[in-house]
Amino acid sequence: MSAGLLESLGDRLSAVSVPAPSICGVLTRVTGMMLSARGVRAPLGAYCEVVAEQGEGITCEVVGFDGDEVMLMPFAAVQGLLPGTGVRVVTHTARVGVGDQLLGRVVDGLGLPLDGGALIDPDVYVPLRGERKNPLQRAPIDQVLDVGVRAINSLLTIGRGQRIGLIAGSGVGKSMLLGMMTRFTAADIVVVGMIGERGREVLDFVTETLGPEGRQRAIVVAAPGDCSPVVRLRATHYTCAIAEYFRDQGKDVLLLMDSLTRVAHAQREVGLAVGEPPTTKGYTPSVFSMINELVERAGSVATGGSITGIYTILAEGDDANDPIVDGARAILDGHVLLSRDLAALGQYPAIDINLSVSRLANKLVTADQRVLVRKFRRLMATWEENRDLVAVGAYRPGTNADLDEALQRRGALRSFLQQDSDEKVDFDGGFGQLAGVLA
């Protein structure tokens, strides 16, 4: 991080910092990513600055305590540190600046521009981790959100304020489907958090997926995998804070988090470093509580405005029962599962309709539309159940009426699930096409 960016970050932190920060402690130990300091009195989540040998400040976050020592995790690589290096508290509370100037911008986890533009002057500072909402102050989800993807609009209908998981292994088409939803969804503001992904993917998403037109209503917060885990976690909460700011203005916000698994990895790194016990696949208990916290920050509020959350979840090794997949699926309002087998057959988006669900779909569509959806699902399930029987030639036509119809309409059913990445199909158009397929 350059001296100019550090100075800018210091200015931002000083807007909510304790008065006249001065050296109050000393560095006692460096263990891997973890720094320990004595003499510092600061709460969890506070920011401190460690003064390096050349006088440069290394910003850190307080992540734990060990006796009378404070455990710090730096935002960047540590160099030039000596025993007894001075430590000072910069701010006791973690707050971030948000405002309308963020529209169309690409920023990092610290709110600094990555697009070469001017520094952003926030309208207001808000708590990084938001404020817990009373469940009775939430608004019911009763309005359809048109995402422009035929299979999701018709068979997995999403409502404004719903939280959906996009589950897939690597290289199955998550990014392509996410890009389609970014461009096509009928939302006022799109807030994208690219957490722990490759730097190349950030560039491709901004320049190709969004493009100049899509960027006008979008805000991208990027913290690639080479960032410190505390920066990745800060970027995650910063993304949610931006979405909450626009929601509270009465806007309908689409929040895209890519990916929830990388966020869990960052929290696991921090948790293990401070001594949390590992559980399944090394994930610490704080990982699962943090996922709950993140998901609950989305939704609709009674005062108007909504945050519809789309969270990509990496099924490592195509394991649909991975701890993060299983945990997220239990608390989300539905999930879209992408299949590697369908992708190998050339079906994009490779949505496995039989294993995907939207828990609010029945509430959002009409009775006639529910009949169409149930029939489509029944035919697809019948085909999947008997495909091996058909493949070996052991099925005699006329034995099963549903299977006969599924075989007759197989081509049309598969075509309905496919859609080019630059093709937009609205909600009404999708159900019109579904009716035509089943006519």
Side-chain angles (χ1 to χ4, degrees), residues 89-411:
V89 179
V90 178
T91 173
H92 279 171
T93 57
R95 300 177 72 84
V96 290
V98 294
D100 293 342
Q101 287 190 21
L102 284 165
L103 280 172
R105 302 299 302 274
V106 182
V107 297
D108 65 9
L110 306 176
L112 302 174
L114 294 174
D115 53 12
L119 289 174
I120 295 164
D121 186 18
D123 295 337
V124 64
Y125 284 87
V126 299
L128 176 64
R129 290 181 174 264
E131 298 176 351
R132 186 177 179 275
K133 291 290 183 183
N134 185 333
L136 299 182
Q137 293 178 349
R138 293 188 178 274
I141 300 174
D142 53 12
Q143 296 182 17
V144 171
L145 179 69
D146 188 345
V147 299
V149 180
R150 177 170 49 221
I152 295 178
N153 275 345
S154 304
L155 305 173
L156 301 166
T157 308
I158 297 175
R160 295 186 184 275
Q162 191 169 346
R163 291 80 56 91
I164 290 287
L166 193 58
I167 303 172
S170 57
V172 184
K174 292 191 308 298
S175 298
M176 185 187 78
L177 180 56
L178 198 67
M180 293 173 67
M181 298 174 74
T182 303
R183 296 193 306 274
F184 300 153
T185 298
D188 299 321
I189 306 290
V190 179
V191 183
V192 184
M194 305 199 71
I195 313 299
E197 300 299 321
R198 295 182 289 272
R200 177 191 60 79
E201 289 187 338
V202 177
L203 176 64
D204 291 346
F205 186 86
V206 172
T207 57
E208 298 179 12
T209 302
L210 277 180
E213 184 177 349
R215 282 184 62 179
Q216 294 179 3
R217 62 166 185 156
I219 302 163
V220 179
V221 180
D226 59 349
C227 292
S228 164
V230 290
V231 173
R232 281 177 266 153
L233 291 175
R234 179 184 166 90
T236 303
H237 293 292
Y238 185 32
T239 303
C240 295
I242 294 172
E244 289 170 336
Y245 168 76
F246 287 103
R247 178 203 61 193
D248 293 341
Q249 291 185 338
K251 305 286 188 182
D252 289 317
V253 181
L254 177 65
L255 170 64
L256 303 174
M257 189 70 68
D258 186 19
S259 72
L260 197 63
T261 304
R262 305 298 187 196
V263 175
H265 289 174
Q267 181 63 36
R268 177 173 62 183
E269 289 180 53
V270 174
L272 292 175
V274 299
E276 277 194 83
T279 59
T280 308
K281 284 196 173 181
Y283 289 108
T284 57
S286 62
V287 170
F288 302 99
S289 62
M290 184 204 59
I291 291 176
N292 280 317
E293 176 189 346
L294 288 177
V295 170
E296 285 301 317
R297 294 182 71 170
S300 301
V301 291
T303 54
S306 66
I307 301 175
T308 304
I310 309 292
Y311 306 89
T312 67
I313 306 167
L314 177 63
E316 298 181 349
D318 291 337
D319 181 8
N321 294 315
D322 177 87
I324 302 302
V325 174
D326 200 40
R329 188 166 47 198
I331 60 175
L332 292 168
D333 301 321
H335 59 271
V336 179
L337 182 67
L338 302 185
S339 166
R340 190 175 299 277
D341 292 338
L342 294 177
L345 293 173
Q347 177 180 313
Y348 286 100
I351 300 175
D352 190 329
I353 289 299
N354 294 327
L355 297 179
S356 302
V357 65
S358 171
R359 297 180 182 178
L360 299 177
N362 285 342
K363 176 182 176 181
L364 297 168
V365 299
T366 65
D368 291 340
Q369 290 170 337
R370 283 197 292 271
V371 171
L372 292 174
V373 172
R374 287 169 183 165
K375 183 175 182 179
F376 188 99
R377 283 181 168 273
R378 185 176 71 250
L379 293 178
M380 289 297 296
T382 302
W383 160 254
E384 290 295 334
E385 188 177 322
N386 296 276
R387 63 186 305 171
D388 292 338
L389 194 66
V390 174
V392 299
Y395 174 71
R396 289 188 305 167
T399 306
N400 185 322
D402 281 343
L403 182 54
D404 289 340
E405 185 174 1
L407 290 172
Q408 178 187 353
R409 302 182 188 274
R410 175 61 181 156

Side-chain angles (χ1 to χ4, degrees), residues 1-2 6 33 35 57-61 73-79 81 110 226-231:
M1 188 179 297
S2 68
L6 275 172
M33 298 182 298
L35 311 181
I58 298 175
T59 304
C60 306
E61 180 178 339
M73 187 163 283
F75 285 1
V78 291
Q79 295 179 352
L81 296 182
L110 306 176
D226 59 349
C227 292
S228 164
V230 290
V231 173

